[in-house]
């Protein structure tokens, strides 16, 4: 209790900042959960597995863009603490330009991947369904990244409730279009599985348009969107975002790729395992995205402390974020360990084999909640310090050198089936959590904050 009293101001501030971000992050994940709930209930296990595979690989393609753009909020927060409106404007416009670049690159890669789905060795039916699903979802990458880029301005200025409201509205819209387009209700066509993909596209278009409209019309953003700022060059900001964002995005990519490739490995074990894995991964994704909300708040608060040259503020912001994440993920672990069968029944009830496998995977997911929460918050704290290169190496080692090979060996060589894949993921997350946490506290102790260059100067270019 003395620790809570000591850090009460930081805990309160981090909590208030992170809750809207968490709800927004949760809304994004719940769109995937909503897709799977409707697909699983209305279409069955095979379409559910195909949608899960396509969503996982599509998210993999977008992960560098989403993760890379997340550095902008910390840069905006630092500029805001220095009262540099011009720098904030340039960062906003630079982020939008980078989002368009990422959309072209990763959207194109998604299309190429969709036309080469046979490389993943899935069944013919899953391959065809997943390919068509992914082609539609690939188109939605552009509005998704535009939304993410615009959201960085609002989050960095500590207005996270905007994205929260828009995301939750989009979630309701996604559920509505899933229902009417899968089965063809009223005047809407019956599109089956492709109806779910179309629902995702429409909801993401709404998110981008709504976010941009609010930012450009709201009085609170007018000081940063002055007409005079539009002539300021942004090439330096674009380079800075790419310099920090590409390694930061790769950090996100390595983790997302691990879980996406785990889907492929589980798919080799059979369709029932794939459907069960998708149910379980949806659940742990919900808690993970909530932890990323705390991570985002940590990056913003650490960035602000760096901008004001406050080393103690950096330390206390980090400690508060770790405390919140560990507390929340501990509660999630208890839920997954004690209510796993009930949670699985929310997704599917007519396939006992899938339900049994999924329930066992959720138990393993309960054990890696703490590791997942710690590693993602450590990444957020390091992002606030503009430390992106070494964390990228750490995540590459933890997930691709440890987690993926171990998952394959346990699943096939040791015949542990899907459980072996999840144990491998648990080991990778645990190693990442330890190494990234050590990196953060060593960086604070050894590095002069005045030497941390998070943002180019706001002078003339």
């Amino acid at each position: 209790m003395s620790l809570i009293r000591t850090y009460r101001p930081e805990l309160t501030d981090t909590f208030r900042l992170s809750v809207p971000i968490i709800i927004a992050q949760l809304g994004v994940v719940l769109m995937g959960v909503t897709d799977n709930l409707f697909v699983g209930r209305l279409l069955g296990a095979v379409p559910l597995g195909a949608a899960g595979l396509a969503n996982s690989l599509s998210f993999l393609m977008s992960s560098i863009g989403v993760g890379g753009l997340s550095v902008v909020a910390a840069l905006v927060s630092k500029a805001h603490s220095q009262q540099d409106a011009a720098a904030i404007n340039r960062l906003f416009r630079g982020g939008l330009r980078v989002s368009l670049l990422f959309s072209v690159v990763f959207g194109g890669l998604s299309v190429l991947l969709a036309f080469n789905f046979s490389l993943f060795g899935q069944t013919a039916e899953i391959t065809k369904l997943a390919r068509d699903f992914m082609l539609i979802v690939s188109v939605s990458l552009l509005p998704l990244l535009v939304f993410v880029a615009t959201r960085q301005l609002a989050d960095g200025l500590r207005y996270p409730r905007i994205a929260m409201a828009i995301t939750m509205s989009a979630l309701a819209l996604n559920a509505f279009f899933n229902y009417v387009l899968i089965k063809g209700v009223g005047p809407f066509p019956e599109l089956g599985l492709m109806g779910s993909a179309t629902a995702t596209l429409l909801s993401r278009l709404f998110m981008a348009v709504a976010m941009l409209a609010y930012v450009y019309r709201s009085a609170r953003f007018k000081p940063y969107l002055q007409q005079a700022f539009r002539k300021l060059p942004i090439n330096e900001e674009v380079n800075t975002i790419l310099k920090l964002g590409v390694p930061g995005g790769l950090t996100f990519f390595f983790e997302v790729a691990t879980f996406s490739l785990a889907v492929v490995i589980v798919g080799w074990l059979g369709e029932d395992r794939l459907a069960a894995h998708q149910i379980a991964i949806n659940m742990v994704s919900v808690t993970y995205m909530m932890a990323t909300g705390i991570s985002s708040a940590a990056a913003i608060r650490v960035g602000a402390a760096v901008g004001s040259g406050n080393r103690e503020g950096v330390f206390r912001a980090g400690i508060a974020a770790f405390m919140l994440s560990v507390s929340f993920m501990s509660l999630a672990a208890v839920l997954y360990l004690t209510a796993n069968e009930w949670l699985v029944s929310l997704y599917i009830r007519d396939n006992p084999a899938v339900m049994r496998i999924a329930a066992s995977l959720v138990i393993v997911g309960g054990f890696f909640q703490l590791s997942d929460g710690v590693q993602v918050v450590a990444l957020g704290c390091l992002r606030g310090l503009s430390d992106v290169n070494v964390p990228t190496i750490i995540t590459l080692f933890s997930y691709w050198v440890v987690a993926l090979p171990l998952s394959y060996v346990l699943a096939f060589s040791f015949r542990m089936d899907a459980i072996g894949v999840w144990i491998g993921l648990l080991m990778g997350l645990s190693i990442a959590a330890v190494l990234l946490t050590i990196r953060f506290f060593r960086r604070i102790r050894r590095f002069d904050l005045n030497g941390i260059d998070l943002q180019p100067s706001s002078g003339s270019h």
Side-chain angles (χ1 to χ4, degrees):
M1 294 300 293
S2 61
L3 186 64
I4 294 177
R5 285 195 296 269
T6 300
Y7 288 93
R8 179 172 292 171
E10 287 75 18
L11 287 168
T12 301
D13 191 37
T14 303
F15 181 78
R16 288 176 177 172
L17 180 59
S18 64
V19 166
I21 299 177
I22 287 172
I23 295 174
Q25 300 280 47
L26 182 61
V28 172
V29 175
L30 285 177
M31 288 185 191
V33 173
T34 301
D35 290 345
N36 286 314
L37 284 172
F38 277 100
V39 170
R41 288 290 186 90
L42 299 178
L43 299 175
V46 173
L48 174 61
L53 180 60
N55 272 323
S56 295
L57 294 174
S58 179
F59 188 60
L60 171 63
M61 289 293 100
S62 68
S63 62
I64 298 178
V66 173
L69 289 169
S70 66
V71 304
V72 178
L75 301 178
V76 169
S77 179
K78 178 178 182 288
H80 183 54
S81 70
Q82 297 172 336
Q83 299 182 341
D84 193 341
I88 292 172
N89 175 274
R90 294 198 305 270
L91 284 166
F92 170 58
R93 292 188 291 124
L96 285 176
R97 182 177 294 182
V98 171
S99 73
L100 297 177
L101 174 63
F102 282 163
S103 298
V104 172
V105 173
F106 300 117
L109 289 175
S110 296
V111 172
L112 288 175
L113 189 61
F115 281 110
N116 291 276
F117 242 108
S118 58
L119 296 175
F120 295 104
Q122 306 298 308
T123 64
E125 186 176 4
I126 283 183
T127 296
K128 182 183 183 304
L129 290 173
R131 180 192 64 221
D132 295 342
F133 191 99
M134 188 169 177
L135 285 172
I136 296 175
V137 174
S138 297
V139 178
S140 71
L141 182 60
L142 173 60
L144 172 64
L145 292 182
V146 169
F147 168 78
V148 171
T150 309
R151 173 184 170 176
Q152 301 309 302
L153 173 66
D155 286 357
L157 294 175
R158 301 176 71 94
Y159 298 125
R161 289 182 176 85
I162 302 164
M164 176 191 73
I166 291 173
T167 303
M168 297 311 292
S169 298
L171 175 62
L173 201 64
N174 184 58
F176 169 77
F177 281 120
N178 260 284
Y179 177 71
V180 300
L181 292 176
I182 288 178
K183 287 298 186 181
V185 178
F188 296 94
E190 182 178 350
L191 301 179
L193 182 60
M194 298 312 109
S196 181
T198 304
T200 298
L201 171 60
L202 294 173
S203 61
R204 288 180 175 180
L205 282 170
F206 165 78
M207 291 166 66
V209 171
M211 194 75 201
L212 283 169
Y214 187 91
V215 165
Y216 277 103
R217 293 185 179 185
S218 174
R220 63 179 53 171
F221 295 104
K222 286 184 178 179
Y224 313 105
L225 300 175
Q226 298 177 40
Q227 184 72 26
F229 292 157
R230 296 183 181 181
K231 297 181 179 180
L232 296 176
I234 60 172
N235 290 339
E236 189 173 346
E237 280 68 31
V238 170
N239 290 336
T240 297
I241 294 170
L242 289 174
K243 180 181 177 181
L244 297 176
V246 171
L250 285 173
T251 299
F252 192 32
F253 169 82
F254 291 139
E255 181 177 2
V256 173
T258 299
F259 281 85
S260 295
L261 292 174
V263 174
V264 177
I265 295 174
V266 173
W268 293 335
L269 295 169
E271 293 177 351
D272 283 352
R273 273 82 170 173
L274 181 60
H277 173 86
Q278 188 55 38
I279 291 170
I281 209 70
N282 263 176
M283 292 185 199
V284 299
S285 293
V286 170
T287 50
Y288 168 75
M289 276 299 181
M290 295 177 80
T292 64
I294 300 174
S295 174
S296 297
I300 292 167
R301 296 193 70 245
V302 168
V306 170
S308 58
N310 185 355
R311 182 191 301 274
E312 180 67 15
V314 171
F315 178 81
R316 294 178 72 89
I319 289 293
F322 280 115
M323 290 174 65
L324 282 176
S325 183
V326 168
S327 299
F328 169 74
M329 296 303 262
S330 296
L331 293 175
V334 172
L335 176 64
Y336 289 150
L337 292 173
T338 58
N340 56 316
E341 293 182 355
W342 176 76
L343 290 170
V344 169
S345 70
L346 297 177
Y347 287 79
I348 192 169
R349 295 179 180 176
D350 60 353
N351 194 323
V354 171
M355 294 178 67
R356 176 179 52 80
I357 298 168
S360 65
L361 296 182
V362 172
I363 291 176
V364 181
F367 283 109
F368 69 53
Q369 291 301 294
L370 288 179
S371 297
D372 212 6
V374 169
Q375 66 88 21
V376 74
V377 165
L379 281 173
C381 293
L382 290 167
R383 190 165 62 246
L385 291 175
S386 192
D387 187 0
V388 292
N389 293 323
V390 171
T392 301
I393 296 172
I394 290 174
T395 54
L396 174 62
F397 169 77
S398 301
Y399 303 132
W400 286 25
V401 176
V402 176
L404 278 176
L406 184 59
S407 293
Y408 182 87
V409 169
L410 292 177
F412 293 97
S413 299
F414 286 83
R415 301 184 182 279
M416 295 180 67
D417 211 82
I419 288 287
V421 176
W422 278 59
I423 291 175
L425 297 175
L426 168 62
M427 294 302 298
L429 287 168
S430 299
I431 291 172
V434 171
L435 295 180
L436 290 169
T437 302
I438 291 173
R439 173 70 180 176
F440 173 64
F441 288 108
R442 282 185 176 178
R443 186 71 189 272
I444 295 176
R445 186 174 68 250
R446 296 179 179 179
F447 209 95
D448 178 9
L449 292 181
N450 293 325
I452 298 178
D453 182 19
L454 283 178
Q455 162 70 25
S457 65
S458 59
S460 61
H461 290 256

